[in-house]
Structures are given as structure tokens and as C-alpha cells.
Amino acid sequence: MDRSPNESVSGQVEPVATGSVPAPSHALLVVGAEPPPEKHAAEQVHRHESAAGFYSIYETVKRGVLEMGLGNSFRTLLKVNQTDGFDCPSCAWPDPDSARKTAEFCENGAKAVASEATKDRIVPEFFAAHSVSELLGQSDRCYEQRGRLAQPMWRPAGSDHYQPIEWDAAFELIARELHALDSPNEAAFYTSGRASNEAAFLYGLFARQFGTNNLPDCSNLCHESSGTGLTESIGIGKATIKLEDFSHADAIFVIGQNPGTCHPRMLSELQKAARNGCQIVSINPLAETGLIRFKNPQEPLSLLGAGTPIARLFLPVRINGDVALIKGIMKEMLEEDARTGGKVLAHDFIREQTEGFEALRADLESESWGDILESSGCSRELIQQAAAIAIRSEHMICCWAMGITQHKNGVANVQTIANFALLRGQIGRRGAGLCPVRGHSNVQGDRTVGIWEKMSDEFLDALGKEFGFSPPKAHGRDAVGTIQAMAAGQIKVFIGLGGNFLAATPDTQLTAQAMQRCRLTVQISTKLNRGHLITGREALILPCLGRTEQDVQASGPQFVTVENTTGVVHQSRGVLPPASQHLRSEPAIVAGIAQRTLAGRTPTDWASLVADYDRIREHIEHVVPGFAQYNRRVRDPGGFYLPNGPREGKFTTPSGKARFTVHPIPRHDLRPGELLLTTIRSHDQFNTTIYGENDRYRGISNGRRVLFINAQEIAERGLQSGSIVDLISRDGGESRRAERFKLVPYDIPRGCAAAYYPETNVLVPLHNVADRSNQPAFKSIPIRIEPSPAALAAPAAQAPESA
Ligand code: SF4
């Protein structure tokens, strides 16, 4: 979302101290699968050496048939990402602008669809039979396998069971608790990236008519650093490329991103690019299988061979060594420019369209190679090879994800990548640009239509004018600020429009305690998750339609709209009958809460908006720039692109120029024996949703509590492959301990380690956030490890075979 630089720096909310919050019970910490020590089941098995292939077809068919049945599998999957079908509810990878294939989805998209379209249901009898306390002892994977939530449920104060509740009574309960607040700012309205533009726009409208900008969202957790950094550097916080640019690129740098698991269809574009001779460079602490080789399931013949090599060059950067590494590459480029009399850098572009270059040049000249090599962990030779690719490239794309943004210096990481691209003018021309790859299907669209705690005055004025009210101007709270305020008793009602806030956020104990201090927590959900079990004094589960399902309102069948990573807004129309007659659409639920809460003091006809979503889109068109003729253009097959100045070579910063910025190489100053931990996702996982306990791309089967660590680090500690250890965060003493992780020797730089989230979120202190973006720093956590006392007391765990 575009914004002025000073907006991104400061909010107008009071910081909240969290030191007074008592430590919660350890029993709350069963995030993920916590096996008892004698049953640590994770095994190290054969690691797949190429991504996708036959196995992904097998997984797709297996999941589809098991969850949906044979007929529904075909009917449903063939509508995923089609112009007359529904948008994949998983990641935000774009669809082709031109002709689409019959099967336009990946294995992980199929898992997400199968999960939503499952035949299994959670009915009131389930909650009558199982108490909340009992369910808390189960794993996240068990929740996922229970099926779709089928009816609104209420957990009364003091009860250990949910019980059914009518929709009207649920809305009445929410209205009562909201009215009981001393201030609208005692409520928070969280949005996950699943919500459509229509639902998100209504939700933001309701929150502001209620009187608050407390609109935390999952963008606060994943790409806030990209938004903050890119807005300052080039004037827009989004990707500057189209999907077709991958076909025209001659160099693609994939930095801190694992597309094989997190954005699998990106591999098809990388495969095409590699076949065109494009040089693909992977910069990551772990060599991820998806960037090594890819067997495209759409090409039967390629399934039989060894697969297409993807990355020509892999730089095994230390965790958060990216600034050092990219500075090294840029320093090589500057030196080559001097040697060749100015033939490397885009001097005309730099002079006419940028500012701040001389400061960057001076900074790069002053950096020592010793610091660069030490901090990056990469050799000078590798850096020279990467620089040679960048120097030769006329069409370079840089992609990144949360390996870049979720650090204390996440904004600096993003801006350093922007510096790198600007040196040769690699923004605003065909086959070139910047691409922060978004993780959840509509996380970008939700922000575009107003889900942000600090939307610009222009947006708020337009919203107020359109609906005849005065939106609050004071900034609200983001995700971290919301947890702090809940912990301090300053937010008393929490409503989640999708998502799993508890599992997606850091400092699990503190967050759990914070949620429990609320008077009311409300989750608008399709499936059961841990956030339904760690609740406020009272709690509601409001079950909603999913993307796969038909949405029929008073005027007839509806579709919703979403925005993908490249800024294309398009429609999504479900095909399956709703999982239960009791479900309501997200726009209908938001409108129901708004109508009941605002009653006589809303100028908005909520029922009319829900009756016909075209009316919601008409309002979006009037409020948000770039949506002219929304209802007409979104009916064009494939939708339309939102305006994007930098993509057209026009930088939308205050000066009209792109800005080079200078950032120091970060220091972590690990203490003796400490490791820097990064959290990662397994291949059987989408964000916080756990589909299974295998990760075939890293050779893990039947468990998730594993620590990937360099073999020398294991040996130096007198431990062995398969030893069971506890992970202890430096900042938290015993309260930030993750127990019973099996050591897995892995090809990862010395001093570094990796483990799955959400199990390791408990190790991330809430105050460990990125400068200026306030995004939690999940990817650089100083920890120490020690043999697990629980495991030592149990019979010896079997050591896994070495891979
Ligand atoms: S790449 Fe992403 S959006 Fe596309 S099918 Fe796979 S999970 Fe869904």
C-alpha cells in the first residue's frame, strides 16, 4: 500500500509495557505436536532431490480423494485458479494473464483445497463430547483433520465446553461486549489474508464506524518490512513486475525464499526461465530442493528424467547475512565499473531517476571485505560469481520472502535489495523488477482496500465521505501492539476474520495469556485451530463459507475478488455447495455484527451491501484509487492490474526519484555456544495449517520437532545425530523454552539452525521486532541448546539414520 514515509515510522498509540504480565501455565504451550519423550517419532529419511514430480501427483490425488471423494476432487480441482472458478486459498502466486492450463494448481494448492472441501464436519456433538481442556492436548494436525466447522458455537464464561448458539444471539453477544467497552480502542479487529476484498472492506468500514483503527493483519507479520522499505525506496510497497516478466528475465535472484514449498507454481516460471538461459541465483541458509531441480507435473516426459536444474548458483548465506552479501556483490559491481570506465552501472538512470547514490558508494567503499565475508559466511569467489551474473544482466528480477523481512533489520534487508536492483536500473522495464512474494492469497488485497492500522488521511477522508461519517484518524494497533495491549488489559474484545492469530504470532506464552485476558474472543473460521481453545472469558466460533463454496445472497449467486502478488485483481467464484446450511459468508458475518453493534448510529445499509456484492465494489471504486469501473473490469477474464508507477518506470516517492539508502551490516554478537535460529515451514504445511508431519524435501518423516543444525555444531557439543534437546531463547529464561527437538545434521552454515514454526514461536520475544515495520523477527533468534531433561528421564530415543 502506498504511504508517505513518515506514516510508516510512527503510530499515534501509546506503547504498552508487558512486564507486569504473569507467566502463563506451561500447559498452554502445546503448540504443534508435542510427543511425550518416549515417543519422539520424527525420523530422518531419504531427501527428495528434485521438487514436484510423480510424488506430488500422488500426494495431490491422495489428499483430494481422501478428503473430497473422487468426483468432488475432479470437479473442484479443475476450477482452481480458472477464470470462471475460484482463487486458490493458499498462497498469492499470480495466474497467467493469457491462456490457462486445465490443471492450474500445485500440490500445496490441492492440499489447501482438499482441506477446505473435506467431507468431515465438526458438529455440536463433537464439542459436547470433548472439552476445551481435552482438545488442548491434541496436536495442530489433529485439529486440521477434524473437518469443517458446521455451526456457530459459544463458550460461556467459566465453561470448559462450547455449545451451539444462533447467529442472532452471537451477534447480540458481540454487540453487548463491544458496547460495554470504555472506548472503541479496547477492541481489535484482526484480518487474515484469506478474507476477500469485499469482506475486508466491510470489516474496515465497520471498525472505523465503531470508532477504532485497531486493524492488525497478517501483513504485519509477513511483509510489513517490504511495505515500509519499498515505499521509501521506490514509492510503492508491492511487486513491480508482471508474471510474464519471468519469461524475459536473464537473471533472477531468489533471496530468503523457498518457492518449492511456499509458492510452488513459481517453479514453473523458474523452469521456463532456466530453459531460456536465465541465470537463477539462490541466496538462502539452506539449499532448498525446489531451487535445485524441478520435475514439472504438467510435463509427463520430464517426470521420467532427473528434472530441470533451477539455480545455477547457490550462496549459502548465514542467517541474516544478506545485507553483507549483497553489499559484497554491489562492491564488486562498483569495482568492475571503475575498472571498465563506467560500463557496469546505469549511470544515466542513476543520475536522472535516483537520489542518494553517492552516500551508498561511499558506504560500499568503506566496507571491509573481512566484515563482508565473515558476516555473509560466503566466499569472495561466490560473491564474484553472483556479481558477474548481475553485471551481465539486462533484465534482472529479485524475489524475496520472509527470510528477508522477519529480522530486526528487515526493512534494511529489503532496501538493500532495492539498492542492488537500482544500480543497473533494473526496475520499470520488461523482464526486470522487484518481487516480494506474498504468502497468503489475498493479504495484499486486504491492505489495498483498507485493512491497516495506519491508513492515510486521504483514504480515511474518502471513506468518511462515501459513507457519511467521520472515521477516527489516530493510528490503531498492529499485531504486536494488539498483543501488548491485550496483555496489559487494554484490549478486551478480539475478533479474528480468519487465521490463527495465536499460532501466527510470536511469544506464544505471552500471546496465550493476552488472549485469556480478553472479555470476548471471536474467531470467524472454516476449521478448528488452537486459537479456538485459548480464549477470552467468553468465546465464539463463527463458521464461514470457504473459497470453494457457492455464495448465494438475496440478489443471487455472488463472487468475491482478490489481489495477487503482482497486483492483479480478479474474481473468485466457489463451485461446491456449502459444507453446512448454518454457514454464512464473511461479508454477511461482518455485516451482521455491524448491524447489531451499530444499530441506529450507522449511516450504512449493511443488508443491501450483502445482498449484492457489486454494491460493495461500487463503494471500493469510489474510495480506493485504481478501481475505476471495478465491476466491469473484474468481469473480464483474469481481471485487471492495479496502477503501479515503478513498474512503468515512474517512482512515486515524494521527490519522484528512487532512493538509494545506506544500511550497516547487522551484528548478532552470539555468546559462546549460542546459535542463530530461523523458523521455517515444512512441505506439509501452509502458514500455520499443518496437513501432515512429513517434509520430504528435507528428508523428515513422521514428526516436526526437529532442529536442522550443522554436523560440526553437534559434534562440538558432545551430542549426536538424533539427540533430543531443548531450545532456550536468550531473552526469556526458562519461560521461552521449546522442549524435545531431535537433532538433524544438515547442510546449513556454522552458527545457524532451523526449526519449524509454530512450534518455535514460543522462543521469539514479543519485543524482538523489525525496526520501523514492527514485524516480529522470527528468522533470527539467538538460542542455546541443552540435552532435554524430559528425554533424559525417558527410555533412549532411537537415533535417526544419517541422510
Ligand atoms: S502456487 Fe500458491 S496459489 Fe498457486 S496453486 Fe500453489 S499454493 Fe495455490
Side-chain angles (χ1 to χ4, degrees), residues 4 43 129 138 303 415 479 500 589-590 595 599 681 716 742:
S4 67
E43 288 178 86
Q138 299 184 359
L303 294 175
Q415 293 191 325
N500 184 352
I589 294 171
V590 171
Q595 260 178 317
R681 195 195 282 190
E716 282 177 6
K742 187 173 275 191

Side-chain angles (χ1 to χ4, degrees), residues 627-707:
F627 283 84
Q629 300 185 62
Y630 193 178
N631 277 313
R632 182 186 68 70
R633 289 196 294 157
V634 86
R635 284 176 165 84
D636 291 341
F640 62 93
Y641 278 90
L642 287 172
N644 188 313
R647 189 167 59 215
E648 314 303 329
K650 297 186 199 91
F651 297 107
T652 41
T653 58
S655 67
K657 294 188 170 187
R659 189 184 299 171
F660 285 102
T661 51
V662 173
H663 303 284
I665 293 174
R667 315 262 169 228
H668 289 285
D669 297 327
L670 294 178
R671 297 170 189 163
E674 280 189 337
L675 299 161
L676 203 57
L677 176 77
T678 181
T679 62
I680 54 174
R681 195 195 282 190
S682 88
H683 194 63
D684 261 359
Q685 171 178 0
F686 168 64
N687 290 346
T688 57
T689 305
I690 313 297
Y691 301 122
E693 298 196 339
N694 302 327
D695 189 353
R696 65 180 192 268
Y697 293 161
R698 301 196 186 97
I700 299 299
S701 168
N702 209 25
R704 293 175 47 83
R705 297 185 86 81
V706 292
L707 184 73

Side-chain angles (χ1 to χ4, degrees), residues 80-81 88 90-93 104-106 108-109 262-266:
V80 182
N81 294 328
C88 171
S90 191
C91 83
W93 188 250
E104 197 63 69
F105 58 89
C106 70
N108 285 1
C262 304
H263 316 93
R265 272 193 308 155
M266 181 175 170

Side-chain angles (χ1 to χ4, degrees), residues 469-601:
F469 77 111
S470 298
K473 291 286 177 71
H475 291 175
R477 298 193 187 278
D478 62 6
V480 167
T482 293
I483 297 168
Q484 290 171 329
M486 287 193 297
Q490 295 179 1
I491 284 181
K492 296 170 182 154
V493 174
F494 173 92
I495 301 180
L497 181 60
N500 184 352
F501 188 75
L502 177 69
T505 46
D507 223 336
T508 314
Q509 282 195 41
L510 176 63
T511 303
Q513 181 80 14
M515 301 288 290
Q516 290 184 310
R517 290 199 71 178
C518 288
R519 291 175 54 87
L520 174 68
T521 49
V522 181
Q523 308 287 353
I524 300 168
S525 307
T526 55
K527 306 214 45 188
L528 183 66
N529 66 50
R530 196 167 298 276
H532 301 124
L533 308 173
I534 304 281
T535 72
R537 192 175 65 98
E538 287 183 87
L540 287 166
I541 299 174
L542 304 181
C544 63
L545 294 174
R547 287 268 174 83
T548 54
E549 289 163 320
Q550 297 154 358
D551 181 353
V552 180
Q553 302 295 340
S555 69
Q558 306 295 312
F559 64 85
V560 293
T561 58
V562 292
E563 177 185 337
N564 67 31
T565 285
T566 54
V568 175
V569 178
H570 61 94
Q571 59 173 283
S572 173
R573 191 187 292 270
V575 295
L576 295 175
S580 153
Q581 59 174 337
H582 300 290
L583 304 188
R584 293 196 181 178
S585 75
E586 287 184 326
I589 294 171
V590 171
I593 297 171
Q595 260 178 317
R596 189 60 60 105
T597 302
L598 301 172
R601 62 188 180 96

Side-chain angles (χ1 to χ4, degrees), residues 434-508:
L434 299 174
C435 184
V437 186
R438 309 305 300 260
H440 204 165
S441 52
N442 197 38
V443 59
Q444 192 162 298
D446 293 340
R447 182 62 64 88
T448 300
V449 300
I451 300 297
W452 198 25
E453 73 279 0
K454 46 191 177 189
M455 288 299 286
S456 67
D457 283 353
E458 291 75 24
F459 172 88
L460 295 171
D461 289 343
L463 187 73
K465 186 169 167 223
E466 179 72 6
F467 289 95
F469 77 111
S470 298
K473 291 286 177 71
H475 291 175
R477 298 193 187 278
D478 62 6
V480 167
T482 293
I483 297 168
Q484 290 171 329
M486 287 193 297
Q490 295 179 1
I491 284 181
K492 296 170 182 154
V493 174
F494 173 92
I495 301 180
L497 181 60
N500 184 352
F501 188 75
L502 177 69
T505 46
D507 223 336
T508 314

